[in-house]
Amino acid sequence: MTDPGDTPPTVFVLFGASGDLAARLVLPAFYRLAQEGLLPPAWQLIGSGRRELSDDDFRAHVHDKLTEFGPKPEEGPWEEFAARLRFASNGFSVDDPGQLVDTVAAAEQELGDGDPSSVQRVHYLGVPPTAFEPTTNALGAHGLAERSRVVYEKPFGTSLESFHSLDQAVHRVFDESAIYRIDHFLGKEATQQLRAVRFANGLFGSSWDRHHVESVQIDVPETLDVADRAEFYDETGAVLDMLVTHLFQVAAEVAMEPPRSLASDDVAQARADAVKAFVPLRAEDVVRGQFDGYRDIDDVADDSDTETFVAARMFVDTERWRDVPFLMRTGKKMAESHQKVTLVMRDPDDGPYHPTGTSGAGAEIPSRGNVLCFDLSGDGRLALSMNIEVPGSQSALETAWTEINLHEVDGGDPLPPYVRLIHDILIGDRSLFTRPDGLEEVWHAAGAALNGSTSIESYAPGSWGPDAALRLAEPRGWALGDR
Ligand SMILES: NC(=O)C1=CN([C@@H]2O[C@H](COP(=O)(O)OP(=O)(O)OC[C@H]3O[C@@H](n4cnc5c(N)ncnc54)[C@H](OP(=O)(O)O)[C@@H]3O)[C@@H](O)[C@H]2O)C=CC1
Ligand SMILES: O=C1O[C@H](COP(=O)(O)O)[C@@H](O)[C@H](O)[C@H]1O
């Protein structure tokens, strides 16, 4: 990681500081950066919110959340960290800046060593998407946009129209170079490996196309409930929360043509070009589901039509990927939790063995026996399965696996995605952030997943979702859950 020693004094404003994202991901990431010595030499973090909290209340809240989600306060420099936390109460809007403007001014006075204008600002909008535009307008109206980087959580817009409106509003206040649109799946260690495995290994690079890959599966089932963030979730749903955001961006990482270099603009361009080639989803390529009991959750409408599950079969209109299905699936309260990207390789079309379900001389090739799998969860893991001859059997084939755990790689120190991404924001590296050109195309590609042309099917909690999702993966099925 780049030494932050050269980073100017920084005021980090966290909007939505009392929320779920801040508690589970952003504040722990900040603390981990402090543990690793990766924060700028001079910094303060100001939590912003509509409620009334003193600095000490906020410190106690952060202490509680670190105790719950880690790293635990006692595992790092808690006293020094806590001394740099402030809270600005009473919200922040164009009409009323609450305490924020004064709190930022005081922090800059302390950090600027006589020159408050030397202090860099980072505004992190960890608030629901409906609050992005009003908060941005307020930053402009109250003079807080200068010397700033601004970070937007996903989803950046909820439709093509709202994307355009938000994009224009944001560009009225900030230059594109100051904008960091987060999609934390791009910051996962195993997502980075998609590029490394493909472009640094002839075996995989030369097989990364429709001649060798039968399907690409991006499968993110979750056992997780949504009861603790039902208000947000019921307005959002699985299509916006996961499919057109995380899963599409990971699909673009798989589908991209080789970038000209690994420089941030070239990588972001390659990803944006890949999204442009996504073929808009048709109704027959989408299954939306809702788990039984969802409508009984507090803050969920009794007649809610929000999907808690979505599966999609997408095609990518490039010479490399034409006719290869990109199968994507995600949902809440499912049977298991995984975050897997699987390239299912084609069976050889000639030779002494014959594919599953066909007849011929020689042994049968096990179905989906040759796959390359990137496990995005946790520290990340790569796995490769191959069909090999069962030793001693003389001809029978069996599938065998080999694995690489990223935390075991020599010299490796995998970092959680928010740690990596917040570090990149502080040092100004935009390669793992999304761009408006790539995002605009997302709304076209979303097609039937968002246009209301698909109905919602129910599924039992603890299952793999509606049965209709199985037909999307025919004939060979999903690699996960063996269905
Ligand atoms: N939670 C997660 O796992 C992830 C969330 N995200 C994204 O992060 C963002 C926040 O999500 P999450 O933390 O779960 O949501 P929450 O519902 O927990 O909201 C976050 C905070 O935002 C403030 N807030 C709520 N509504 C408004 C509003 N209208 N105007 C200003 N502030 C408001 C509230 O703080 P207060 O009442 O103090 O003002 C609230 O605590 C979303 O865009 C989400 O998509 C992204 C990845 C993961
Ligand atoms: O952005 C989101 O991601 C999480 C899953 O990501 P992880 O980093 O926790 O593995 C998902 O549960 C949540 O609904 C969504 O908002």
Side-chain angles (χ1 to χ4, degrees), residues 208-236:
W208 211 270
D209 60 28
R210 66 193 164 95
H211 303 296
H212 300 88
V213 178
E214 183 181 279
S215 73
V216 175
Q217 304 200 5
I218 303 172
D219 211 351
V220 187
E222 298 182 289
T223 55
L224 208 68
D225 198 354
V226 289
D228 54 349
R229 54 201 281 256
E231 192 179 345
F232 161 79
Y233 195 85
D234 201 42
E235 276 178 12
T236 309

PDB file of all heavy atoms in Angstrom, residues 208-236:
ATOM      1  N   TRP A 208      -9.857 -17.423 -22.188  1.00  0.00           N
ATOM      2  CA  TRP A 208     -10.844 -16.471 -21.659  1.00  0.00           C
ATOM      3  C   TRP A 208     -11.777 -16.015 -22.775  1.00  0.00           C
ATOM      4  O   TRP A 208     -11.803 -14.841 -23.148  1.00  0.00           O
ATOM      5  CB  TRP A 208     -10.090 -15.285 -21.056  1.00  0.00           C
ATOM      6  CG  TRP A 208     -10.764 -14.606 -19.902  1.00  0.00           C
ATOM      7  CD1 TRP A 208     -11.641 -13.552 -19.991  1.00  0.00           C
ATOM      8  CD2 TRP A 208     -10.611 -14.887 -18.511  1.00  0.00           C
ATOM      9  NE1 TRP A 208     -12.036 -13.165 -18.729  1.00  0.00           N
ATOM     10  CE2 TRP A 208     -11.418 -13.970 -17.800  1.00  0.00           C
ATOM     11  CE3 TRP A 208      -9.879 -15.823 -17.785  1.00  0.00           C
ATOM     12  CZ2 TRP A 208     -11.498 -13.960 -16.407  1.00  0.00           C
ATOM     13  CZ3 TRP A 208      -9.962 -15.803 -16.408  1.00  0.00           C
ATOM     14  CH2 TRP A 208     -10.770 -14.883 -15.730  1.00  0.00           C
ATOM     15  N   ASP A 209     -12.560 -16.923 -23.341  1.00  0.00           N
ATOM     16  CA  ASP A 209     -13.432 -16.538 -24.451  1.00  0.00           C
ATOM     17  C   ASP A 209     -14.483 -17.616 -24.705  1.00  0.00           C
ATOM     18  O   ASP A 209     -14.496 -18.659 -24.043  1.00  0.00           O
ATOM     19  CB  ASP A 209     -12.604 -16.277 -25.722  1.00  0.00           C
ATOM     20  CG  ASP A 209     -11.819 -17.516 -26.156  1.00  0.00           C
ATOM     21  OD1 ASP A 209     -12.269 -18.639 -25.856  1.00  0.00           O
ATOM     22  OD2 ASP A 209     -10.758 -17.365 -26.773  1.00  0.00           O
ATOM     23  N   ARG A 210     -15.322 -17.341 -25.688  1.00  0.00           N
ATOM     24  CA  ARG A 210     -16.462 -18.228 -25.945  1.00  0.00           C
ATOM     25  C   ARG A 210     -16.043 -19.595 -26.488  1.00  0.00           C
ATOM     26  O   ARG A 210     -16.814 -20.544 -26.451  1.00  0.00           O
ATOM     27  CB  ARG A 210     -17.440 -17.564 -26.900  1.00  0.00           C
ATOM     28  CG  ARG A 210     -16.939 -17.330 -28.283  1.00  0.00           C
ATOM     29  CD  ARG A 210     -17.879 -16.385 -29.031  1.00  0.00           C
ATOM     30  NE  ARG A 210     -17.263 -15.847 -30.200  1.00  0.00           N
ATOM     31  CZ  ARG A 210     -17.400 -16.371 -31.411  1.00  0.00           C
ATOM     32  NH1 ARG A 210     -18.136 -17.451 -31.581  1.00  0.00           N
ATOM     33  NH2 ARG A 210     -16.816 -15.815 -32.444  1.00  0.00           N
ATOM     34  N   HIS A 211     -14.846 -19.683 -27.007  1.00  0.00           N
ATOM     35  CA  HIS A 211     -14.409 -20.988 -27.521  1.00  0.00           C
ATOM     36  C   HIS A 211     -14.084 -21.950 -26.378  1.00  0.00           C
ATOM     37  O   HIS A 211     -14.119 -23.160 -26.551  1.00  0.00           O
ATOM     38  CB  HIS A 211     -13.177 -20.826 -28.416  1.00  0.00           C
ATOM     39  CG  HIS A 211     -13.429 -19.886 -29.550  1.00  0.00           C
ATOM     40  ND1 HIS A 211     -14.354 -20.149 -30.527  1.00  0.00           N
ATOM     41  CD2 HIS A 211     -12.920 -18.656 -29.807  1.00  0.00           C
ATOM     42  CE1 HIS A 211     -14.398 -19.132 -31.381  1.00  0.00           C
ATOM     43  NE2 HIS A 211     -13.545 -18.211 -30.956  1.00  0.00           N
ATOM     44  N   HIS A 212     -13.778 -21.413 -25.215  1.00  0.00           N
ATOM     45  CA  HIS A 212     -13.363 -22.264 -24.091  1.00  0.00           C
ATOM     46  C   HIS A 212     -14.313 -22.201 -22.906  1.00  0.00           C
ATOM     47  O   HIS A 212     -14.350 -23.125 -22.101  1.00  0.00           O
ATOM     48  CB  HIS A 212     -11.966 -21.859 -23.623  1.00  0.00           C
ATOM     49  CG  HIS A 212     -10.933 -21.997 -24.694  1.00  0.00           C
ATOM     50  ND1 HIS A 212     -10.651 -20.996 -25.591  1.00  0.00           N
ATOM     51  CD2 HIS A 212     -10.144 -23.043 -25.023  1.00  0.00           C
ATOM     52  CE1 HIS A 212      -9.723 -21.417 -26.437  1.00  0.00           C
ATOM     53  NE2 HIS A 212      -9.397 -22.658 -26.111  1.00  0.00           N
ATOM     54  N   VAL A 213     -15.054 -21.096 -22.771  1.00  0.00           N
ATOM     55  CA  VAL A 213     -15.910 -20.925 -21.591  1.00  0.00           C
ATOM     56  C   VAL A 213     -17.359 -21.163 -22.000  1.00  0.00           C
ATOM     57  O   VAL A 213     -17.865 -20.539 -22.931  1.00  0.00           O
ATOM     58  CB  VAL A 213     -15.752 -19.511 -20.996  1.00  0.00           C
ATOM     59  CG1 VAL A 213     -16.688 -19.317 -19.808  1.00  0.00           C
ATOM     60  CG2 VAL A 213     -14.309 -19.269 -20.581  1.00  0.00           C
ATOM     61  N   GLU A 214     -18.014 -22.068 -21.278  1.00  0.00           N
ATOM     62  CA  GLU A 214     -19.411 -22.390 -21.599  1.00  0.00           C
ATOM     63  C   GLU A 214     -20.366 -21.400 -20.933  1.00  0.00           C
ATOM     64  O   GLU A 214     -21.353 -20.971 -21.499  1.00  0.00           O
ATOM     65  CB  GLU A 214     -19.704 -23.807 -21.111  1.00  0.00           C
ATOM     66  CG  GLU A 214     -21.090 -24.279 -21.439  1.00  0.00           C
ATOM     67  CD  GLU A 214     -21.294 -25.686 -20.903  1.00  0.00           C
ATOM     68  OE1 GLU A 214     -20.839 -26.626 -21.579  1.00  0.00           O
ATOM     69  OE2 GLU A 214     -21.872 -25.830 -19.823  1.00  0.00           O
ATOM     70  N   SER A 215     -20.097 -21.063 -19.663  1.00  0.00           N
ATOM     71  CA  SER A 215     -20.897 -20.032 -18.988  1.00  0.00           C
ATOM     72  C   SER A 215     -20.037 -19.355 -17.940  1.00  0.00           C
ATOM     73  O   SER A 215     -19.070 -19.935 -17.435  1.00  0.00           O
ATOM     74  CB  SER A 215     -22.147 -20.636 -18.336  1.00  0.00           C
ATOM     75  OG  SER A 215     -21.813 -21.384 -17.193  1.00  0.00           O
ATOM     76  N   VAL A 216     -20.417 -18.114 -17.650  1.00  0.00           N
ATOM     77  CA  VAL A 216     -19.804 -17.388 -16.537  1.00  0.00           C
ATOM     78  C   VAL A 216     -20.904 -17.267 -15.492  1.00  0.00           C
ATOM     79  O   VAL A 216     -22.017 -16.854 -15.811  1.00  0.00           O
ATOM     80  CB  VAL A 216     -19.339 -15.984 -16.993  1.00  0.00           C
ATOM     81  CG1 VAL A 216     -18.810 -15.185 -15.801  1.00  0.00           C
ATOM     82  CG2 VAL A 216     -18.282 -16.086 -18.087  1.00  0.00           C
ATOM     83  N   GLN A 217     -20.614 -17.667 -14.275  1.00  0.00           N
ATOM     84  CA  GLN A 217     -21.643 -17.613 -13.232  1.00  0.00           C
ATOM     85  C   GLN A 217     -21.174 -16.678 -12.112  1.00  0.00           C
ATOM     86  O   GLN A 217     -20.084 -16.865 -11.561  1.00  0.00           O
ATOM     87  CB  GLN A 217     -21.912 -19.015 -12.687  1.00  0.00           C
ATOM     88  CG  GLN A 217     -22.294 -20.003 -13.793  1.00  0.00           C
ATOM     89  CD  GLN A 217     -23.019 -21.242 -13.284  1.00  0.00           C
ATOM     90  OE1 GLN A 217     -23.337 -21.357 -12.101  1.00  0.00           O
ATOM     91  NE2 GLN A 217     -23.302 -22.161 -14.206  1.00  0.00           N
ATOM     92  N   ILE A 218     -21.999 -15.710 -11.806  1.00  0.00           N
ATOM     93  CA  ILE A 218     -21.678 -14.781 -10.711  1.00  0.00           C
ATOM     94  C   ILE A 218     -22.789 -14.971  -9.686  1.00  0.00           C
ATOM     95  O   ILE A 218     -23.921 -14.538  -9.883  1.00  0.00           O
ATOM     96  CB  ILE A 218     -21.590 -13.335 -11.227  1.00  0.00           C
ATOM     97  CG1 ILE A 218     -20.535 -13.267 -12.336  1.00  0.00           C
ATOM     98  CG2 ILE A 218     -21.250 -12.375 -10.081  1.00  0.00           C
ATOM     99  CD1 ILE A 218     -20.468 -11.963 -13.069  1.00  0.00           C
ATOM    100  N   ASP A 219     -22.466 -15.695  -8.638  1.00  0.00           N
ATOM    101  CA  ASP A 219     -23.501 -16.220  -7.747  1.00  0.00           C
ATOM    102  C   ASP A 219     -23.263 -15.699  -6.328  1.00  0.00           C
ATOM    103  O   ASP A 219     -22.236 -16.003  -5.709  1.00  0.00           O
ATOM    104  CB  ASP A 219     -23.416 -17.769  -7.783  1.00  0.00           C
ATOM    105  CG  ASP A 219     -24.770 -18.402  -7.565  1.00  0.00           C
ATOM    106  OD1 ASP A 219     -25.719 -17.672  -7.228  1.00  0.00           O
ATOM    107  OD2 ASP A 219     -24.875 -19.646  -7.710  1.00  0.00           O
ATOM    108  N   VAL A 220     -24.208 -14.900  -5.832  1.00  0.00           N
ATOM    109  CA  VAL A 220     -24.043 -14.296  -4.497  1.00  0.00           C
ATOM    110  C   VAL A 220     -25.296 -14.527  -3.640  1.00  0.00           C
ATOM    111  O   VAL A 220     -26.014 -13.588  -3.295  1.00  0.00           O
ATOM    112  CB  VAL A 220     -23.714 -12.785  -4.607  1.00  0.00           C
ATOM    113  CG1 VAL A 220     -23.367 -12.201  -3.232  1.00  0.00           C
ATOM    114  CG2 VAL A 220     -22.547 -12.549  -5.553  1.00  0.00           C
ATOM    115  N   PRO A 221     -25.589 -15.799  -3.323  1.00  0.00           N
ATOM    116  CA  PRO A 221     -26.694 -16.045  -2.396  1.00  0.00           C
ATOM    117  C   PRO A 221     -26.279 -15.597  -1.006  1.00  0.00           C
ATOM    118  O   PRO A 221     -25.099 -15.652  -0.665  1.00  0.00           O
ATOM    119  CB  PRO A 221     -26.852 -17.573  -2.460  1.00  0.00           C
ATOM    120  CG  PRO A 221     -25.484 -18.080  -2.799  1.00  0.00           C
ATOM    121  CD  PRO A 221     -24.861 -17.033  -3.687  1.00  0.00           C
ATOM    122  N   GLU A 222     -27.256 -15.123  -0.217  1.00  0.00           N
ATOM    123  CA  GLU A 222     -26.952 -14.698   1.156  1.00  0.00           C
ATOM    124  C   GLU A 222     -27.993 -15.294   2.100  1.00  0.00           C
ATOM    125  O   GLU A 222     -29.186 -15.282   1.786  1.00  0.00           O
ATOM    126  CB  GLU A 222     -26.997 -13.174   1.285  1.00  0.00           C
ATOM    127  CG  GLU A 222     -25.977 -12.456   0.425  1.00  0.00           C
ATOM    128  CD  GLU A 222     -26.033 -10.938   0.619  1.00  0.00           C
ATOM    129  OE1 GLU A 222     -27.000 -10.318   0.167  1.00  0.00           O
ATOM    130  OE2 GLU A 222     -25.124 -10.391   1.246  1.00  0.00           O
ATOM    131  N   THR A 223     -27.554 -15.785   3.247  1.00  0.00           N
ATOM    132  CA  THR A 223     -28.508 -16.242   4.264  1.00  0.00           C
ATOM    133  C   THR A 223     -29.064 -15.044   5.036  1.00  0.00           C
ATOM    134  O   THR A 223     -30.062 -15.158   5.741  1.00  0.00           O
ATOM    135  CB  THR A 223     -27.832 -17.203   5.265  1.00  0.00           C
ATOM    136  OG1 THR A 223     -26.685 -16.546   5.807  1.00  0.00           O
ATOM    137  CG2 THR A 223     -27.394 -18.492   4.603  1.00  0.00           C
ATOM    138  N   LEU A 224     -28.416 -13.899   4.873  1.00  0.00           N
ATOM    139  CA  LEU A 224     -28.734 -12.654   5.586  1.00  0.00           C
ATOM    140  C   LEU A 224     -30.201 -12.255   5.463  1.00  0.00           C
ATOM    141  O   LEU A 224     -30.819 -12.420   4.418  1.00  0.00           O
ATOM    142  CB  LEU A 224     -27.894 -11.568   4.918  1.00  0.00           C
ATOM    143  CG  LEU A 224     -27.458 -10.351   5.680  1.00  0.00           C
ATOM    144  CD1 LEU A 224     -26.456 -10.757   6.742  1.00  0.00           C
ATOM    145  CD2 LEU A 224     -26.792  -9.372   4.692  1.00  0.00           C
ATOM    146  N   ASP A 225     -30.715 -11.680   6.557  1.00  0.00           N
ATOM    147  CA  ASP A 225     -32.069 -11.112   6.572  1.00  0.00           C
ATOM    148  C   ASP A 225     -31.944  -9.626   6.227  1.00  0.00           C
ATOM    149  O   ASP A 225     -30.834  -9.103   6.108  1.00  0.00           O
ATOM    150  CB  ASP A 225     -32.625 -11.289   7.991  1.00  0.00           C
ATOM    151  CG  ASP A 225     -34.134 -11.150   8.038  1.00  0.00           C
ATOM    152  OD1 ASP A 225     -34.729 -10.798   6.999  1.00  0.00           O
ATOM    153  OD2 ASP A 225     -34.702 -11.394   9.114  1.00  0.00           O
ATOM    154  N   VAL A 226     -33.074  -8.941   6.110  1.00  0.00           N
ATOM    155  CA  VAL A 226     -33.016  -7.496   5.861  1.00  0.00           C
ATOM    156  C   VAL A 226     -33.750  -6.721   6.950  1.00  0.00           C
ATOM    157  O   VAL A 226     -33.944  -5.520   6.842  1.00  0.00           O
ATOM    158  CB  VAL A 226     -33.615  -7.130   4.489  1.00  0.00           C
ATOM    159  CG1 VAL A 226     -32.715  -7.587   3.377  1.00  0.00           C
ATOM    160  CG2 VAL A 226     -35.021  -7.671   4.328  1.00  0.00           C
ATOM    161  N   ALA A 227     -34.163  -7.431   8.019  1.00  0.00           N
ATOM    162  CA  ALA A 227     -35.038  -6.801   9.009  1.00  0.00           C
ATOM    163  C   ALA A 227     -34.409  -5.554   9.635  1.00  0.00           C
ATOM    164  O   ALA A 227     -35.107  -4.599   9.946  1.00  0.00           O
ATOM    165  CB  ALA A 227     -35.394  -7.815  10.091  1.00  0.00           C
ATOM    166  N   ASP A 228     -33.075  -5.530   9.794  1.00  0.00           N
ATOM    167  CA  ASP A 228     -32.457  -4.372  10.459  1.00  0.00           C
ATOM    168  C   ASP A 228     -32.261  -3.184   9.520  1.00  0.00           C
ATOM    169  O   ASP A 228     -31.791  -2.138   9.942  1.00  0.00           O
ATOM    170  CB  ASP A 228     -31.124  -4.773  11.111  1.00  0.00           C
ATOM    171  CG  ASP A 228     -30.189  -5.444  10.135  1.00  0.00           C
ATOM    172  OD1 ASP A 228     -30.638  -5.779   9.014  1.00  0.00           O
ATOM    173  OD2 ASP A 228     -28.998  -5.620  10.461  1.00  0.00           O
ATOM    174  N   ARG A 229     -32.554  -3.312   8.260  1.00  0.00           N
ATOM    175  CA  ARG A 229     -32.480  -2.171   7.333  1.00  0.00           C
ATOM    176  C   ARG A 229     -33.637  -2.236   6.341  1.00  0.00           C
ATOM    177  O   ARG A 229     -33.499  -1.964   5.150  1.00  0.00           O
ATOM    178  CB  ARG A 229     -31.129  -2.132   6.628  1.00  0.00           C
ATOM    179  CG  ARG A 229     -30.751  -3.412   5.928  1.00  0.00           C
ATOM    180  CD  ARG A 229     -29.251  -3.520   5.704  1.00  0.00           C
ATOM    181  NE  ARG A 229     -28.754  -2.763   4.589  1.00  0.00           N
ATOM    182  CZ  ARG A 229     -28.392  -3.285   3.401  1.00  0.00           C
ATOM    183  NH1 ARG A 229     -28.494  -4.584   3.162  1.00  0.00           N
ATOM    184  NH2 ARG A 229     -27.914  -2.522   2.475  1.00  0.00           N
ATOM    185  N   ALA A 230     -34.815  -2.597   6.911  1.00  0.00           N
ATOM    186  CA  ALA A 230     -35.972  -2.872   6.054  1.00  0.00           C
ATOM    187  C   ALA A 230     -36.448  -1.640   5.304  1.00  0.00           C
ATOM    188  O   ALA A 230     -36.852  -1.729   4.138  1.00  0.00           O
ATOM    189  CB  ALA A 230     -37.102  -3.442   6.901  1.00  0.00           C
ATOM    190  N   GLU A 231     -36.373  -0.471   5.946  1.00  0.00           N
ATOM    191  CA  GLU A 231     -36.892   0.730   5.289  1.00  0.00           C
ATOM    192  C   GLU A 231     -36.093   1.003   4.015  1.00  0.00           C
ATOM    193  O   GLU A 231     -36.643   1.225   2.940  1.00  0.00           O
ATOM    194  CB  GLU A 231     -36.788   1.907   6.263  1.00  0.00           C
ATOM    195  CG  GLU A 231     -37.556   3.109   5.792  1.00  0.00           C
ATOM    196  CD  GLU A 231     -37.457   4.259   6.789  1.00  0.00           C
ATOM    197  OE1 GLU A 231     -37.044   4.028   7.945  1.00  0.00           O
ATOM    198  OE2 GLU A 231     -37.786   5.382   6.377  1.00  0.00           O
ATOM    199  N   PHE A 232     -34.771   0.950   4.169  1.00  0.00           N
ATOM    200  CA  PHE A 232     -33.897   1.147   3.006  1.00  0.00           C
ATOM    201  C   PHE A 232     -34.130   0.032   1.979  1.00  0.00           C
ATOM    202  O   PHE A 232     -34.300   0.282   0.789  1.00  0.00           O
ATOM    203  CB  PHE A 232     -32.432   1.151   3.455  1.00  0.00           C
ATOM    204  CG  PHE A 232     -31.466   0.894   2.335  1.00  0.00           C
ATOM    205  CD1 PHE A 232     -31.139   1.903   1.456  1.00  0.00           C
ATOM    206  CD2 PHE A 232     -30.917  -0.366   2.137  1.00  0.00           C
ATOM    207  CE1 PHE A 232     -30.275   1.677   0.388  1.00  0.00           C
ATOM    208  CE2 PHE A 232     -30.049  -0.612   1.078  1.00  0.00           C
ATOM    209  CZ  PHE A 232     -29.727   0.420   0.217  1.00  0.00           C
ATOM    210  N   TYR A 233     -34.172  -1.210   2.458  1.00  0.00           N
ATOM    211  CA  TYR A 233     -34.211  -2.335   1.522  1.00  0.00           C
ATOM    212  C   TYR A 233     -35.511  -2.359   0.723  1.00  0.00           C
ATOM    213  O   TYR A 233     -35.522  -2.639  -0.475  1.00  0.00           O
ATOM    214  CB  TYR A 233     -34.016  -3.670   2.264  1.00  0.00           C
ATOM    215  CG  TYR A 233     -33.687  -4.773   1.290  1.00  0.00           C
ATOM    216  CD1 TYR A 233     -32.377  -4.980   0.887  1.00  0.00           C
ATOM    217  CD2 TYR A 233     -34.689  -5.554   0.736  1.00  0.00           C
ATOM    218  CE1 TYR A 233     -32.069  -5.950  -0.051  1.00  0.00           C
ATOM    219  CE2 TYR A 233     -34.396  -6.529  -0.202  1.00  0.00           C
ATOM    220  CZ  TYR A 233     -33.074  -6.724  -0.591  1.00  0.00           C
ATOM    221  OH  TYR A 233     -32.768  -7.677  -1.539  1.00  0.00           O
ATOM    222  N   ASP A 234     -36.611  -2.023   1.416  1.00  0.00           N
ATOM    223  CA  ASP A 234     -37.902  -2.107   0.724  1.00  0.00           C
ATOM    224  C   ASP A 234     -38.011  -1.073  -0.395  1.00  0.00           C
ATOM    225  O   ASP A 234     -38.731  -1.258  -1.352  1.00  0.00           O
ATOM    226  CB  ASP A 234     -39.046  -1.942   1.738  1.00  0.00           C
ATOM    227  CG  ASP A 234     -40.345  -2.518   1.176  1.00  0.00           C
ATOM    228  OD1 ASP A 234     -40.285  -3.611   0.557  1.00  0.00           O
ATOM    229  OD2 ASP A 234     -41.395  -1.866   1.305  1.00  0.00           O
ATOM    230  N   GLU A 235     -37.249   0.028  -0.279  1.00  0.00           N
ATOM    231  CA  GLU A 235     -37.228   1.036  -1.358  1.00  0.00           C
ATOM    232  C   GLU A 235     -36.272   0.624  -2.472  1.00  0.00           C
ATOM    233  O   GLU A 235     -36.270   1.215  -3.537  1.00  0.00           O
ATOM    234  CB  GLU A 235     -36.667   2.359  -0.819  1.00  0.00           C
ATOM    235  CG  GLU A 235     -37.644   3.234  -0.131  1.00  0.00           C
ATOM    236  CD  GLU A 235     -36.945   4.492   0.396  1.00  0.00           C
ATOM    237  OE1 GLU A 235     -35.779   4.766   0.030  1.00  0.00           O
ATOM    238  OE2 GLU A 235     -37.579   5.169   1.199  1.00  0.00           O
ATOM    239  N   THR A 236     -35.406  -0.347  -2.181  1.00  0.00           N
ATOM    240  CA  THR A 236     -34.288  -0.606  -3.094  1.00  0.00           C
ATOM    241  C   THR A 236     -34.446  -1.948  -3.820  1.00  0.00           C
ATOM    242  O   THR A 236     -34.545  -1.979  -5.049  1.00  0.00           O
ATOM    243  CB  THR A 236     -32.958  -0.564  -2.299  1.00  0.00           C
ATOM    244  OG1 THR A 236     -32.920   0.635  -1.540  1.00  0.00           O
ATOM    245  CG2 THR A 236     -31.770  -0.603  -3.225  1.00  0.00           C
TER     246      THR A 236
END
